Each structure stands twice: as structure tokens, then as C-alpha cells.
Amino acid sequence: MKNVIYMLVVDVWRLAKKYKFRKMGDAEWENFINTGQKLVIRYQAQGKAVERLCRDLLDAFQTFYRQIGKRKQ
């Protein structure tokens, strides 16, 4: 289970890092959301707790990116 959690955190981090912690355009935002959904589906097979962790990590980064977008307007 430790390896699954490690890979989940790495996958979510790589997704967040891909957008360089800056404001995203509509296409980038849509891609971020779609890729995040694919990660949720991938980790769903590992159980409800792992799926919840994936969703929570993605929600945290989505909130972070929304805040960046609001600050730079």
C-alpha cells in the first residue's frame, strides 16, 4: 500500500507541476481537470481510501490554481 500512496502523490505532484504554478488558460484548465479525472479512475481500483486521497490532493491543487487566477486578474 505504501508504494501505491507514493505513486499517487508523485502522479498528482507531476500534474500540478506541469502547469508551473501559474494562471492557466481555459484549455489548460480543462486539460488539468481531465487528467485529474483519469488519475482518480486509475486509483479507484486501489480502494475507497486511496480514491479519496487522490480526490483530496487534486482538490487542494485546484483550489491553489483558482487562487492564482483570482490574484492575477
Side-chain angles (χ1 to χ4, degrees):
M1 180 61 74
K2 185 168 54 171
N3 290 337
V4 171
I5 301 300
Y6 174 78
M7 288 310 304
L8 166 64
V9 171
V10 168
D11 285 343
V12 173
W13 174 254
R14 284 179 181 159
L15 174 61
K17 186 179 171 197
K18 177 180 177 181
Y19 295 97
K20 300 180 181 168
F21 304 101
R22 59 175 172 70
K23 182 179 176 183
M24 289 187 248
D26 291 340
E28 289 175 311
W29 184 249
E30 191 172 319
N31 189 36
F32 180 88
I33 299 296
N34 290 336
T35 305
Q37 284 299 96
K38 289 176 186 174
L39 287 176
V40 169
I41 291 168
R42 179 187 312 159
Y43 286 101
Q44 232 171 13
Q46 301 298 323
K48 289 288 182 185
V50 176
E51 177 187 354
R52 182 75 254 157
L53 177 59
C54 184
R55 288 181 186 277
D56 288 346
L57 289 170
L58 288 167
D59 286 346
F61 277 113
Q62 287 175 4
T63 299
F64 173 79
Y65 273 112
R66 279 190 204 108
Q67 289 174 348
I68 288 174
K70 289 179 183 176
R71 279 187 272 169
K72 297 204 176 186
Q73 288 180 347

